[in-house]
Short mmCIF file of all heavy atoms in Angstrom, two decimals:
data_model
loop_
_atom_site.label_atom_id
_atom_site.label_comp_id
_atom_site.label_asym_id
_atom_site.label_seq_id
_atom_site.Cartn_x
_atom_site.Cartn_y
_atom_site.Cartn_z
N ASP A 71 35.07 45.51 133.38
CA ASP A 71 35.29 45.13 131.96
C ASP A 71 34.27 44.16 131.39
O ASP A 71 33.92 44.29 130.20
CB ASP A 71 36.67 44.54 131.92
CG ASP A 71 37.05 44.22 130.50
OD1 ASP A 71 36.80 45.01 129.56
OD2 ASP A 71 37.57 43.13 130.26
N ARG A 72 33.80 43.15 132.15
CA ARG A 72 32.99 42.11 131.63
C ARG A 72 31.59 42.11 132.26
O ARG A 72 30.99 41.08 132.20
CB ARG A 72 33.65 40.80 131.76
CG ARG A 72 34.96 40.70 130.81
CD ARG A 72 35.69 39.34 131.24
NE ARG A 72 36.38 39.53 132.51
CZ ARG A 72 37.09 38.58 133.13
NH1 ARG A 72 37.17 37.37 132.52
NH2 ARG A 72 37.72 38.80 134.23
N GLN A 73 31.22 43.27 132.75
CA GLN A 73 29.88 43.33 133.33
C GLN A 73 29.10 44.51 132.74
O GLN A 73 29.55 45.66 132.49
CB GLN A 73 30.07 43.62 134.82
CG GLN A 73 28.75 43.72 135.62
CD GLN A 73 28.87 44.01 137.08
OE1 GLN A 73 29.83 44.74 137.38
NE2 GLN A 73 28.03 43.56 137.91
N PHE A 74 27.81 44.14 132.35
CA PHE A 74 27.07 45.18 131.63
C PHE A 74 25.60 45.17 132.30
O PHE A 74 25.00 44.08 132.57
CB PHE A 74 26.83 44.88 130.17
CG PHE A 74 26.72 46.02 129.19
CD1 PHE A 74 26.90 47.31 129.64
CD2 PHE A 74 26.10 45.74 127.97
CE1 PHE A 74 26.66 48.38 128.77
CE2 PHE A 74 25.83 46.85 127.10
CZ PHE A 74 26.17 48.06 127.46
N ILE A 75 25.10 46.27 132.75
CA ILE A 75 23.91 46.41 133.48
C ILE A 75 22.93 47.27 132.78
O ILE A 75 23.24 48.35 132.35
CB ILE A 75 24.18 46.89 134.94
CG1 ILE A 75 25.13 45.96 135.61
CG2 ILE A 75 22.88 47.14 135.65
CD1 ILE A 75 25.53 46.45 136.98
N LEU A 76 21.69 46.79 132.66
CA LEU A 76 20.48 47.60 132.15
C LEU A 76 19.65 47.99 133.21
O LEU A 76 19.25 47.17 134.07
CB LEU A 76 19.84 46.70 131.08
CG LEU A 76 18.60 47.44 130.33
CD1 LEU A 76 19.23 48.48 129.40
CD2 LEU A 76 17.87 46.40 129.50
N SER A 77 19.26 49.22 133.33
CA SER A 77 18.50 49.69 134.42
C SER A 77 17.39 50.67 134.02
O SER A 77 17.43 51.14 132.94
CB SER A 77 19.33 50.53 135.46
OG SER A 77 20.52 49.74 135.77
N SER A 78 16.36 50.78 134.94
CA SER A 78 15.32 51.81 134.71
C SER A 78 14.97 52.18 136.13
O SER A 78 14.98 51.40 137.11
CB SER A 78 14.14 51.20 134.07
OG SER A 78 13.17 52.12 134.01
N LYS A 79 14.61 53.43 136.37
CA LYS A 79 14.23 53.95 137.61
C LYS A 79 12.71 53.75 137.77
O LYS A 79 12.16 53.39 138.88
CB LYS A 79 14.46 55.57 137.74
CG LYS A 79 15.98 55.89 137.77
CD LYS A 79 16.18 57.35 137.85
CE LYS A 79 17.65 57.68 138.01
NZ LYS A 79 17.90 59.08 138.01
N LYS A 80 11.95 53.77 136.58
CA LYS A 80 10.43 53.55 136.66
C LYS A 80 10.05 52.94 135.46
O LYS A 80 10.11 53.50 134.42
CB LYS A 80 9.73 54.96 136.88
CG LYS A 80 9.84 55.59 138.24
CD LYS A 80 9.01 56.81 138.30
CE LYS A 80 9.10 57.46 139.74
NZ LYS A 80 8.21 58.66 139.77
N LEU A 81 9.57 51.69 135.53
CA LEU A 81 9.23 50.88 134.32
C LEU A 81 7.88 51.38 133.84
O LEU A 81 6.96 51.78 134.61
CB LEU A 81 9.12 49.45 134.78
CG LEU A 81 10.56 48.71 134.81
CD1 LEU A 81 10.27 47.34 135.40
CD2 LEU A 81 11.15 48.60 133.48
N LEU A 82 7.86 51.25 132.50
CA LEU A 82 6.53 51.51 131.82
C LEU A 82 6.02 50.30 131.18
O LEU A 82 6.84 49.26 131.05
CB LEU A 82 6.85 52.58 130.65
CG LEU A 82 7.46 53.93 130.95
CD1 LEU A 82 7.78 54.64 129.68
CD2 LEU A 82 6.59 54.70 131.93
N LEU A 83 4.71 50.27 130.89
CA LEU A 83 4.19 49.02 130.26
C LEU A 83 4.94 48.68 128.96
O LEU A 83 5.25 47.48 128.66
CB LEU A 83 2.73 49.16 130.00
CG LEU A 83 1.82 49.11 131.15
CD1 LEU A 83 0.40 49.55 130.76
CD2 LEU A 83 1.75 47.79 131.74
N SER A 84 5.37 49.73 128.24
CA SER A 84 6.13 49.46 127.00
C SER A 84 7.43 48.91 127.02
O SER A 84 8.12 48.67 126.08
CB SER A 84 6.04 50.85 126.16
OG SER A 84 6.77 51.83 127.01
N ASP A 85 7.97 48.90 128.26
CA ASP A 85 9.21 48.24 128.53
C ASP A 85 9.22 46.64 128.52
O ASP A 85 10.31 46.10 128.44
CB ASP A 85 9.88 48.66 129.88
CG ASP A 85 10.22 50.19 129.82
OD1 ASP A 85 10.57 50.73 128.77
OD2 ASP A 85 10.12 50.93 130.87
N SER A 86 8.01 46.17 128.48
CA SER A 86 7.97 44.70 128.48
C SER A 86 8.60 44.17 127.08
O SER A 86 8.63 44.85 126.05
CB SER A 86 6.50 44.32 128.40
OG SER A 86 5.86 44.59 129.56
N GLY A 87 9.28 43.05 127.31
CA GLY A 87 9.97 42.58 126.06
C GLY A 87 10.98 41.51 126.56
O GLY A 87 11.08 41.09 127.72
N PHE A 88 11.78 41.12 125.53
CA PHE A 88 12.84 40.00 125.86
C PHE A 88 14.16 40.88 125.60
O PHE A 88 14.46 41.28 124.53
CB PHE A 88 12.64 38.82 124.74
CG PHE A 88 13.58 37.75 125.05
CD1 PHE A 88 13.63 37.12 126.15
CD2 PHE A 88 14.11 37.08 123.92
CE1 PHE A 88 14.38 35.91 126.63
CE2 PHE A 88 14.95 35.91 124.16
CZ PHE A 88 14.97 35.44 125.41
N TYR A 89 14.90 40.83 126.68
CA TYR A 89 16.17 41.65 126.70
C TYR A 89 17.29 40.75 126.54
O TYR A 89 17.49 39.72 127.28
CB TYR A 89 16.19 42.49 127.98
CG TYR A 89 15.22 43.61 127.97
CD1 TYR A 89 13.93 43.42 128.35
CD2 TYR A 89 15.64 44.77 127.49
CE1 TYR A 89 13.05 44.49 128.30
CE2 TYR A 89 14.72 45.97 127.46
CZ TYR A 89 13.36 45.79 127.86
OH TYR A 89 12.57 46.74 127.88
N LEU A 90 18.17 41.08 125.61
CA LEU A 90 19.36 40.18 125.36
C LEU A 90 20.64 40.91 125.43
O LEU A 90 20.80 42.04 124.85
CB LEU A 90 19.24 39.62 123.82
CG LEU A 90 18.12 38.67 123.64
CD1 LEU A 90 17.69 38.66 122.16
CD2 LEU A 90 18.50 37.25 124.01
N CYS A 91 21.60 40.37 126.16
CA CYS A 91 22.96 40.91 126.23
C CYS A 91 23.81 40.18 125.23
O CYS A 91 23.47 38.99 124.96
CB CYS A 91 23.38 40.64 127.63
SG CYS A 91 25.07 41.32 127.97
N ALA A 92 24.67 40.80 124.60
CA ALA A 92 25.60 40.17 123.72
C ALA A 92 26.99 40.74 123.77
O ALA A 92 27.20 41.80 124.38
CB ALA A 92 24.97 40.46 122.21
N TRP A 93 27.94 39.93 123.26
CA TRP A 93 29.27 40.49 123.34
C TRP A 93 29.98 39.95 122.08
O TRP A 93 29.61 39.08 121.32
CB TRP A 93 29.95 39.84 124.47
CG TRP A 93 30.38 38.42 124.41
CD1 TRP A 93 29.54 37.39 124.82
CD2 TRP A 93 31.46 37.78 124.02
NE1 TRP A 93 30.04 36.24 124.59
CE2 TRP A 93 31.30 36.42 124.18
CE3 TRP A 93 32.75 38.33 123.44
CZ2 TRP A 93 32.34 35.48 123.66
CZ3 TRP A 93 33.72 37.26 123.09
CH2 TRP A 93 33.43 35.95 123.23
N ILE A 94 31.12 40.77 121.78
CA ILE A 94 31.91 40.42 120.64
C ILE A 94 33.29 40.79 121.00
O ILE A 94 33.61 41.81 121.71
CB ILE A 94 31.51 41.20 119.42
CG1 ILE A 94 32.03 40.65 118.14
CG2 ILE A 94 31.70 42.62 119.49
CD1 ILE A 94 31.57 41.09 116.81
N SER A 95 34.31 39.90 120.73
CA SER A 95 35.63 40.17 121.02
C SER A 95 36.27 41.04 119.92
O SER A 95 35.65 41.29 118.90
CB SER A 95 36.47 38.85 121.16
OG SER A 95 36.57 38.21 119.88
N ARG A 96 37.42 41.66 120.29
CA ARG A 96 38.04 42.62 119.32
C ARG A 96 38.75 42.06 118.18
O ARG A 96 39.85 42.55 117.87
CB ARG A 96 38.92 43.52 120.21
CG ARG A 96 38.21 44.24 121.25
CD ARG A 96 37.20 45.16 120.89
NE ARG A 96 36.65 45.77 122.06
CZ ARG A 96 37.00 47.06 122.48
NH1 ARG A 96 37.88 47.73 121.84
NH2 ARG A 96 36.39 47.63 123.46
N GLY A 97 38.24 41.12 117.54
CA GLY A 97 38.74 40.49 116.32
C GLY A 97 37.99 40.82 115.14
O GLY A 97 36.79 41.00 115.20
N TYR A 98 38.71 40.89 113.98
CA TYR A 98 38.01 41.25 112.79
C TYR A 98 36.96 40.30 112.39
O TYR A 98 35.88 40.65 111.83
CB TYR A 98 39.01 41.28 111.57
CG TYR A 98 38.54 41.86 110.34
CD1 TYR A 98 38.11 43.19 110.30
CD2 TYR A 98 38.30 41.04 109.20
CE1 TYR A 98 37.57 43.67 109.12
CE2 TYR A 98 37.86 41.48 107.98
CZ TYR A 98 37.45 42.92 107.89
OH TYR A 98 36.97 43.37 106.90
N ASN A 99 37.14 39.00 112.65
CA ASN A 99 36.14 38.02 112.16
C ASN A 99 35.44 37.45 113.38
O ASN A 99 34.83 36.36 113.23
CB ASN A 99 36.94 36.89 111.46
CG ASN A 99 37.36 37.28 110.11
OD1 ASN A 99 36.74 37.96 109.37
ND2 ASN A 99 38.59 36.88 109.74
N SER A 100 35.37 38.14 114.44
CA SER A 100 34.61 37.66 115.62
C SER A 100 33.04 37.76 115.36
O SER A 100 32.55 38.86 115.04
CB SER A 100 35.08 38.41 116.78
OG SER A 100 36.38 38.23 117.05
N PRO A 101 32.43 36.72 115.70
CA PRO A 101 30.85 36.89 115.75
C PRO A 101 30.29 37.49 116.92
O PRO A 101 31.04 37.51 118.03
CB PRO A 101 30.45 35.33 115.52
CG PRO A 101 31.55 34.62 116.18
CD PRO A 101 32.82 35.38 116.06
N LEU A 102 29.11 37.89 116.82
CA LEU A 102 28.32 38.46 117.96
C LEU A 102 27.67 37.15 118.77
O LEU A 102 27.01 36.42 118.06
CB LEU A 102 27.26 39.36 117.56
CG LEU A 102 26.48 40.10 118.58
CD1 LEU A 102 27.28 41.00 119.41
CD2 LEU A 102 25.24 40.86 117.92
N HIS A 103 27.84 37.12 119.97
CA HIS A 103 27.32 36.08 120.91
C HIS A 103 26.24 36.60 121.77
O HIS A 103 26.53 37.69 122.53
CB HIS A 103 28.51 35.42 121.71
CG HIS A 103 29.63 34.89 120.82
ND1 HIS A 103 29.53 33.65 120.32
CD2 HIS A 103 30.86 35.37 120.67
CE1 HIS A 103 30.72 33.34 119.70
NE2 HIS A 103 31.52 34.43 119.85
N PHE A 104 25.14 36.01 121.86
CA PHE A 104 24.07 36.41 122.78
C PHE A 104 23.97 35.58 123.92
O PHE A 104 24.27 34.29 123.99
CB PHE A 104 22.74 36.32 121.99
CG PHE A 104 22.46 37.39 120.97
CD1 PHE A 104 22.88 37.22 119.60
CD2 PHE A 104 21.90 38.50 121.23
CE1 PHE A 104 22.72 38.26 118.63
CE2 PHE A 104 21.76 39.59 120.35
CZ PHE A 104 22.17 39.40 119.01
N GLY A 105 23.44 36.07 125.04
CA GLY A 105 23.04 35.36 126.24
C GLY A 105 21.61 34.84 125.94
O GLY A 105 21.11 35.01 124.88
N ASN A 106 21.09 34.13 126.95
CA ASN A 106 19.76 33.52 126.80
C ASN A 106 18.62 34.44 127.07
O ASN A 106 17.41 33.97 127.10
CB ASN A 106 19.76 32.21 127.62
CG ASN A 106 20.41 31.11 126.90
OD1 ASN A 106 20.35 31.09 125.63
ND2 ASN A 106 20.87 30.18 127.60
N GLY A 107 18.92 35.74 127.43
CA GLY A 107 17.78 36.65 127.54
C GLY A 107 17.11 36.76 128.80
O GLY A 107 17.15 35.77 129.67
N THR A 108 16.43 37.76 129.06
CA THR A 108 15.50 38.04 130.20
C THR A 108 14.18 38.37 129.63
O THR A 108 14.06 39.41 128.99
CB THR A 108 15.91 39.10 131.16
OG1 THR A 108 17.12 38.68 131.83
CG2 THR A 108 14.95 39.40 132.32
N ARG A 109 13.10 37.60 130.01
CA ARG A 109 11.73 37.95 129.58
C ARG A 109 11.24 38.84 130.72
O ARG A 109 10.95 38.43 131.78
CB ARG A 109 10.92 36.64 129.41
CG ARG A 109 9.44 36.91 129.27
CD ARG A 109 9.18 37.35 127.75
NE ARG A 109 9.59 36.38 126.82
CZ ARG A 109 9.74 36.71 125.50
NH1 ARG A 109 9.30 38.02 125.04
NH2 ARG A 109 10.00 35.76 124.63
#
Side-chain angles (χ1 to χ4, degrees):
Chain A
D71 180 44
R72 290 169 290 174
Q73 184 184 29
F74 206 22
I75 297 172
L76 182 69
S77 305
S78 174
K79 292 182 179 178
K80 289 186 178 181
L81 284 169
L82 305 172
L83 285 174
S84 59
D85 292 324
S86 293
F88 192 46
Y89 289 84
L90 291 155
C91 180
W93 70 275
I94 194 168
S95 65
R96 302 296 181 97
Y98 186 69
N99 290 315
S100 299
L102 185 67
H103 303 277
F104 285 92
N106 278 328
T108 295
R109 174 72 61 190

